[in-house]
């Protein structure tokens, strides 16, 4: 009698575990694409911003077999179709680079040594800058939640 109760409890635990695993595997996998970069955050190799509708992606890339790295915006459905390149005249060597806001609130692309390879260089300063990749393919810099574009 005692062994039967233990066996029944074990079967209930196994059934419960099996049911839990089925629920986990049947749930849709959801990923949230990020379309904004705020002061204090950075974007590095392998990370991207994706416009809200998923049409455009901003990130680091190397064209063809090149080892030079660029920061650009491309059509998400076709990685080969680059829409805009920030550091076209100053590619990064190696696989390191970082997109970040500097102290003045300008968006800057830094190489591995901390040298600025590209900057948004807008006039004025922003206390809470936010860069957003919008669905039109533009990278827009605003101050906080303001609708006014700084760049």
């Amino acid at each position: 009698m005692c062994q039967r109760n233990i066996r029944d409890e074990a079967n209930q635990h196994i059934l419960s575990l099996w049911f839990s695993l089925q629920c986990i595997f049947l749930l849709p996998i959801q990923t949230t694409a990020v379309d904004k970069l705020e002061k204090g955050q950075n974007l590095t190799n392998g990370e991207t911003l994706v416009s809200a509708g998923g049409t455009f992606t901003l990130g680091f890339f190397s064209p063809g077999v090149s080892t030079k790295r660029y920061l650009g915006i491309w059509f998400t459905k076709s990685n080969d179709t680059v829409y805009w390149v920030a550091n076209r005249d100053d590619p990064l060597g190696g696989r390191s680079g970082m997109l970040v806001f500097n102290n003045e609130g300008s968006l800057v692309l830094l190489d591995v040594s901390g040298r600025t390879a590209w900057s948004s260089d807008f006039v004025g300063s922003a206390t809470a800058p936010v860069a957003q990749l919008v669905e039109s393919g533009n990278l827009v810099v605003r101050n906080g939640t303001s609708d006014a574009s700084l760049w």
Side-chain angles (χ1 to χ4, degrees):
M1 179 86 167
C2 185
Q3 281 196 336
R4 184 172 180 199
N5 286 340
I6 293 172
R7 197 175 321 142
D8 288 343
E9 283 183 35
N11 286 339
Q12 285 177 344
H13 287 295
I14 290 171
L15 185 60
S16 179
L17 178 63
W18 180 83
F19 181 74
S20 297
L21 289 173
Q22 292 300 313
C23 287
I24 290 170
F25 289 117
L26 292 176
L27 289 175
I29 297 173
Q30 295 180 355
T31 58
T32 304
V34 176
D35 68 345
K36 294 179 185 173
L37 182 71
E38 298 179 4
K39 188 169 186 171
Q41 298 176 325
N42 61 56
L43 189 76
T44 58
N45 195 48
E47 300 174 329
T48 59
L49 297 181
V50 178
S51 62
T55 304
F56 295 95
T57 300
L58 175 138
F60 293 91
F61 71 97
S62 293
V65 296
S66 174
T67 59
K68 297 180 191 253
R69 301 293 285 168
Y70 298 89
L71 177 73
I73 298 173
W74 58 87
F75 291 98
T76 303
K77 290 185 179 182
S78 173
N79 294 358
D80 295 333
T81 309
V82 178
Y83 179 74
W84 174 78
V85 178
N87 58 323
R88 178 181 316 272
D89 297 327
D90 195 3
L92 304 174
R95 305 213 39 94
S96 296
M98 180 169 47
L99 183 65
V100 65
F101 283 102
N102 66 12
N103 292 333
E104 291 78 39
S106 287
L107 197 57
V108 294
L109 174 61
L110 305 174
D111 68 10
V112 69
S113 68
R115 180 186 65 84
T116 301
W118 174 85
S119 173
S120 61
D121 273 341
F122 58 84
V123 177
S125 65
T127 55
V130 176
Q132 182 177 17
L133 181 59
V134 295
E135 191 55 27
S136 65
N138 291 326
L139 181 62
V140 178
V141 177
R142 295 184 177 97
N143 193 18
T145 58
S146 169
D147 285 337
S149 296
L150 300 173
W151 184 83

